[in-house]
């Protein structure tokens, strides 16, 4: 059910602006059974043929990459949205008129620090104010949750992460954004994972991203994280650049550089999906960095798939016969995208339960790919924050 926030806009620094947004999910398949065998003639069916994108949307929630807003379908809503330092920077440097309301929200949040009557004045850091003000606007253009990415410079400080998220949650509350519309993105470090455990116990939803290994994903599940986000593209690229690395630790010995069909990135997603369904059903699994149409199809049935506009277009261009209408009825036996990941598959999977992880064990289980990729991702995100703060400072000086 979509939540009407129109009555809340008066409390915001900048009134919400509705962007045109894409249809991201198709209606779920009906449970009605066909009576073709019982009737010689049926009344015309209302079912229509589905593209692969629509068919996939019946199996997984499809989340378009944030800020692909200029190409969105009027009147629809995004499944989810993300606000981060890199998103804010993209808004500020963009010349798109469609993003102007978000830029205004950022600048209003900057000025709010000088206004003691502003609901955002409690935050000393202008970045916090800007994240929340834009995040509150995004709540009007998504039907799911809005993710706020917490400063990655805090990644190794459990207490600092916990307090930062509490502050951001309080700012959202001051703007009358319900807590159940929010989720806070934390890097999948050990400290952040433990912070997530505390926050989830307080009713604050968390999303652990920068997940490149089973140890990170399972630690996040043990902490009760609401979402575990795996970057398929980055992990696959690491193995492509390191041909001597063991791709399949459970398979036969591989000769260095020998070609193999085993994709460690896709397999990690499947492994964590099955593990979560068996032992931690609260935690949803999300895949990002899906480079091709086939990547998306290989993970059909996963909880969430973040897809670029290019991949969505590829899927939309391929028709299926699912629900095809022959003029009298939907064609019997018509099919679309087949589910690869299902609860039944997870129930049958031979997945051994991990003991409760400690920090030393977690570190030992990371492996070279996750260790390197996590460090690189943290550095990249920290640079985003640095660049944004410089940009905000220059804009603030110009305004003065």
């Amino acid at each position: 059910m979509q939540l009407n926030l129109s009555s809340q806009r008066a409390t915001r620094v900048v009134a919400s602006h509705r962007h045109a947004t894409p249809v991201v999910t198709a209606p779920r398949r009906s449970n009605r059974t066909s009576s073709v065998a019982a009737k010689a003639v049926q009344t015309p069916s209302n079912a229509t043929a589905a593209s692969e994108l629509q068919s996939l949307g019946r199996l997984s929630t499809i989340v378009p990459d944030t800020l692909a807003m200029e190409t969105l379908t009027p009147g629809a809503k995004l499944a989810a949205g993300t606000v981060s330092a890199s998103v804010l920077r993209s808004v500020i440097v963009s010349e798109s008129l469609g993003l102007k309301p978000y830029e205004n929200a950022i600048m209003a949040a900057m000025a709010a620090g000088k206004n003691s009557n502003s609901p955002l004045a409690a935050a000393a850091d202008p970045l916090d104010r800007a994240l929340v003000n834009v995040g509150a606007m995004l709540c009007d253009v998504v039907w799911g949750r809005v993710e706020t990415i917490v400063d990655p410079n805090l990644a190794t400080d459990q207490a600092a992460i916990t307090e930062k998220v509490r502050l951001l949650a309080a700012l959202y509350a001051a703007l009358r954004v319900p807590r159940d519309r929010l989720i806070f993105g934390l890097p999948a470090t050990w400290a952040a994972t433990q912070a997530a455990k505390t926050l989830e116990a307080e009713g604050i939803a968390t999303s652990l991203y920068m997940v490149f290994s089973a140890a990170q994903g399972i630690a996040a599940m043990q902490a009760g994280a609401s979402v575990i986000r795996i970057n398929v593209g980055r992990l696959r690229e690491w193995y492509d650049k390191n041909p001597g690395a063991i791709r399949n630790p459970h398979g036969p010995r591989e000769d260095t550089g020998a070609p193999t069909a085993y994709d460690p990135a896709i397999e990690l997603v499947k492994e964590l999906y099955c593990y979560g369904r068996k032992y931690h059903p609260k935690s949803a699994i999300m895949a990002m960095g899906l480079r091709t149409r086939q990547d998306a199809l290989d993970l059909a049935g996963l909880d969430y798939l973040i897809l670029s506009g290019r991949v969505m277009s590829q899927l939309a261009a391929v028709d299926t016969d699912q629900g095809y209408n022959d003029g009298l009825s939907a064609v019997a036996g018509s099919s679309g995208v087949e589910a690869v990941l299902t609860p039944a598959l997870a129930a049958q999977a031979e997945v051994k339960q991990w003991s409760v992880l400690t920090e030393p064990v977690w570190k030992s289980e990371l492996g070279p790919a996750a260790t390197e990729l996590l460090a690189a991702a943290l550095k990249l995100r920290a640079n985003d924050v640095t660049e944004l703060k410089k940009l905000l400072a220059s804009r603030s000086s110009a305004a003065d």
Side-chain angles (χ1 to χ4, degrees), residues 61-81:
T61 297
I62 297 173
V63 183
D65 269 349
T66 306
L67 295 182
M69 294 180 178
E70 290 80 357
T71 61
L72 308 186
T73 304
K77 282 203 169 190
L78 288 162

Side-chain angles (χ1 to χ4, degrees), residues 311-332:
V311 172
M312 290 177 65
S313 296
Q314 291 173 353
L315 290 163
V318 180
D319 292 328
T320 74
D321 66 349
Q322 186 168 30
Y324 178 75
N325 191 333
D326 67 0
L328 293 177
S329 64
V331 174

Side-chain angles (χ1 to χ4, degrees), residues 264-280:
I266 294 292
E267 294 303 321
L268 175 62
V269 177
K270 293 179 179 179
E271 178 184 353
L272 290 177
Y273 171 86
C274 290
Y275 190 92
R277 283 295 186 273
K278 260 185 181 295
Y279 303 115
H280 301 280

Side-chain angles (χ1 to χ4, degrees), residues 72-103:
L72 308 186
T73 304
K77 282 203 169 190
L78 288 162
T82 297
V83 57
S84 65
S86 61
V87 168
L88 296 186
R89 185 178 183 280
S90 297
V91 168
I92 293 174
V93 301
S94 172
E95 297 181 357
S96 169
L97 292 178
L99 297 181
K100 193 66 177 178
Y102 295 94
E103 182 180 356

Side-chain angles (χ1 to χ4, degrees), residues 107 110 114 390-400:
M107 302 317 297
M110 295 284 293
K114 304 174 184 178
K390 290 179 181 178
L391 192 57
L392 291 177
S394 65
R395 288 295 181 98
S396 181
S397 299
D400 294 340

